[in-house]
Amino acid sequence: MHYLTVSLSHKNSDIALREKFTYTDEEKEACLQRLLQSPNVSEAMMLATCNRMELYVCCSDIEEATKHIIRLLTFKAGVSEEFLYKTAEIVDDSSAIHHLFAVASSIDSMVVGETQIAGQLKDAFKFSYDRGYSAKKMSRALSHAFKCAAKVRNLTDISSKPVSVASVAIKQIKEKIQNLHNKKALVIGVGEMSEICAKHLISDGVQTYITNRTQQKAETLAKECNAEVYEFGNLDKAVNEFDIIFTATSAAYPIITNDLIEDVEFQRFWFDLAIPRDIDLDTRDDIYLFVVDDIKNIVDANKAQREQYVRQAHGIVGRSVVEFFEWLDALNVEPIIKEIYKKAEKSVEEETQRAIKKGFIPKEYEKEAQKMAHQAIKRFLHEMTKKMRKASHEAKSDTVTGAMQYILNDEHDNIPDQYKHHLKKD
């Protein structure tokens, strides 16, 4: 069994390309379903945020699974397979796990140390697991990824000043507008980024309104943030009334376009953090438009401040990856050892009965004979199984476990079902 990741993120794709890989929940489930139609893929998960679209799979054949994924993505985005092979980050086994751990620890994020990615990763796994597209293998990887992320948070200062895409956007507002108290802001959408932005605006004394296609959700968030509700149907008026507009919806198409815009006598500041973009706008002098990829320039300018923490975090991630594979190897060897003892016990039973039948030992000595044989076998196997456990933590573990699996996996084997599928694919 192998882990495989295909990633299109802020590191290798611009916003225009990432927009092609946005999925509704229905489309996401359909993609996962198609992934598992391949005989080479046993589990799959999709992580989709404003900065990345990544597919994580467990597979038996890396090359065939990669081809299957690329074909699905080609169909989705209408780009060539050659382009995707060149553009996407495609990593497997230890590199795939390293990537997952780095993502969970927020050192692969556009905003290093940002606070939202862990929740997004948990939601992505839950979505897949609840629908039956992920199981034990993916669960093991995610569990260790979150443990790694906790170590990074606890052992470095990478999250000492919690940040997010939304908080960077708010910082831009403060840099562009000197006096926020006489400004009026509209937050479109009710997701986590919208909530963060609304709370920041209100704490800075901005008169803030919340709007959403589903009004009840807007009312719930407005009540929580102590904001007001704005009628979504009046969005065409809002674009010409509000000083600040912050939008982060899941709309499939832009909700603010050129035909809604009128000339006004004040400067407007718009922040579009949605993928695909909510705002489709020609460049105008009277509207400052900030999109997700603009954050990269801001982050790069302040990158040196967190460089030391990032180096420390990478060290923790590297060690965590090694520990994860050592743990997996130990899992692999235990059912093999158990099966060795079971086969030995079966041989003792068969040979005892044969000896009694042949008259080699009296029937009344059966228990004593079996006890002696069991003790001899335990003494014989003790040193061998001890070395097997030790070898499971070394580079040669694959050779050892592979050889033992080959010897033990006859048609009558009794290796537990929960291990059998895993062992046959390793």
Side-chain angles (χ1 to χ4, degrees):
M1 191 279 298
H2 304 278
Y3 287 101
L4 172 65
T5 300
V6 176
S7 170
L8 290 154
S9 72
H10 62 93
K11 295 193 300 181
N12 56 32
S13 310
D14 60 19
I15 192 170
L17 178 59
R18 297 201 305 277
E19 281 181 319
K20 296 178 183 292
F21 295 101
T22 54
Y23 295 77
T24 63
D25 282 352
E26 292 78 12
E27 290 172 333
K28 193 182 298 182
E29 182 164 7
C31 179
L32 293 175
Q33 192 174 31
R34 291 190 187 100
L35 281 172
L36 264 67
Q37 287 175 354
S38 167
N40 301 295
V41 177
S42 57
E43 298 181 29
M45 180 186 82
M46 177 190 291
L47 174 63
T49 73
C50 61
N51 286 325
R52 65 182 67 246
M53 193 293 295
E54 298 180 335
L55 292 172
Y56 298 84
V57 305
C58 301
C59 63
S60 57
D61 187 310
I62 293 171
E63 185 176 352
E64 289 302 316
T66 303
K67 288 179 182 178
H68 183 57
I69 292 171
I70 293 297
R71 279 195 294 267
L72 288 180
L73 295 181
T74 298
F75 179 77
K76 167 67 177 175
V79 295
S80 70
E81 291 186 12
E82 182 182 6
F83 173 79
L84 283 179
Y85 272 111
K86 287 181 179 178
T87 305
E89 181 178 0
I90 304 172
V91 287
D92 58 71
D93 289 334
S94 61
S95 296
I97 293 299
H98 189 284
H99 179 86
L100 173 63
F101 287 13
V103 170
S105 303
S106 81
I107 58 175
D108 194 68
S109 298
M110 182 182 288
V111 181
V112 173
E114 56 107 341
T115 55
Q116 290 176 270
I117 189 62
Q120 291 166 334
L121 197 51
K122 287 177 183 177
D123 290 343
F125 174 66
K126 187 176 187 302
F127 182 93
S128 175
Y129 186 85
D130 288 350
R131 291 161 176 78
Y133 302 113
S134 286
K136 184 177 292 184
K137 301 178 188 70
M138 198 68 74
S139 179
R140 288 169 175 168
L142 267 294
S143 175
H144 281 257
F146 294 132
K147 287 178 184 177
C148 174
K151 286 181 184 178
V152 169
R153 287 194 304 272
N154 294 332
L155 299 177
T156 75
D157 290 327
I158 199 166
S159 298
S160 57
K161 296 179 181 178
V163 290
S164 65
V165 171
S167 63
V168 173
I170 290 294
K171 184 179 179 183
Q172 285 298 293
I173 293 176
K174 293 179 179 179
E175 290 181 1
K176 298 293 180 182
I177 304 173
Q178 297 300 317
N179 184 9
L180 288 171
H181 291 278
N182 61 353
K183 301 299 181 183
K184 200 166 69 163
L186 176 66
V187 176
I188 308 172
V190 292
E192 186 178 357
M193 283 199 289
S194 297
E195 181 181 348
I196 293 170
C197 188
K199 288 180 177 178
H200 274 291
L201 289 168
I202 291 164
S203 67
D204 287 318
V206 181
Q207 186 179 0
T208 304
Y209 293 76
I210 309 286
T211 189
N212 190 63
R213 203 176 294 275
T214 304
Q215 183 157 333
Q216 185 178 357
K217 292 182 179 180
E219 291 171 352
T220 301
L221 181 58
K223 184 178 180 180
E224 185 179 335
C225 298
N226 199 25
E228 299 178 55
V229 177
Y230 189 88
E231 178 64 44
F232 188 82
N234 294 330
L235 193 59
D236 57 334
K237 297 178 182 178
V239 297
N240 301 306
E241 292 177 1
F242 283 86
D243 303 281
I244 301 166
I245 292 179
F246 177 97
T247 178
T249 77
S250 57
Y253 302 99
I255 59 175
I256 298 177
T257 53
N258 288 301
D259 57 304
L260 300 179
I261 300 169
E262 298 174 3
D263 292 331
V264 296
E265 296 180 354
F266 57 89
Q267 186 81 10
R268 287 170 280 188
F269 300 88
W270 291 358
F271 297 82
D272 181 1
L273 300 185
I275 297 289
R277 284 170 285 190
D278 283 334
I279 301 174
D280 184 9
L281 176 70
D282 292 337
T283 303
R284 293 176 61 107
D285 292 335
D286 59 341
I287 298 178
Y288 170 83
L289 178 60
F290 179 99
V291 298
V292 171
D293 281 6
D294 292 329
I295 294 173
K296 194 173 189 309
N297 297 328
I298 299 165
V299 172
D300 287 346
N302 300 313
K303 193 174 181 180
Q305 297 176 8
R306 292 178 179 265
E307 201 65 50
Q308 177 185 349
Y309 308 141
V310 172
R311 285 198 300 271
Q312 293 172 345
H314 273 294
I316 294 169
V317 168
R319 289 191 294 274
S320 296
V321 171
V322 172
E323 289 168 4
F324 174 68
F325 280 99
E326 287 179 344
W327 179 78
L328 278 187
D329 285 338
L331 282 180
N332 290 347
V333 79
E334 289 306 324
I336 295 175
I337 291 173
K338 183 178 180 181
E339 181 64 12
I340 289 172
Y341 275 99
K342 285 176 69 176
K343 286 182 179 291
E345 288 168 3
K346 184 179 178 182
S347 296
V348 167
E349 175 66 25
E350 290 174 350
E351 287 303 309
T352 303
Q353 295 306 315
R354 191 177 71 86
I356 293 172
K357 186 177 180 180
K358 294 282 188 179
F360 298 154
I361 57 173
K363 175 68 175 175
E364 57 267 28
Y365 291 158
E366 179 180 358
K367 288 185 179 179
E368 287 78 3
Q370 285 187 346
K371 185 176 180 180
M372 183 183 72
H374 280 303
Q375 287 300 115
I377 285 172
K378 284 181 180 179
R379 185 179 294 274
F380 171 73
L381 291 177
H382 174 72
E383 194 63 32
M384 182 176 69
T385 54
K386 182 180 176 181
K387 288 181 178 179
M388 285 179 65
R389 288 189 175 97
K390 182 180 178 181
S392 72
H393 297 291
E394 299 173 359
K396 58 187 176 184
S397 62
D398 286 347
T399 303
V400 174
T401 56
M404 296 309 300
Q405 287 160 23
Y406 177 78
I407 293 169
L408 292 171
N409 275 340
D410 59 32
E411 60 182 0
H412 305 297
D413 76 76
N414 294 311
I415 292 178
D417 288 339
Q418 65 264 37
Y419 296 106
K420 189 173 294 185
H421 182 65
H422 178 65
L423 291 175
K424 286 182 178 179
K425 285 191 172 186
D426 274 4

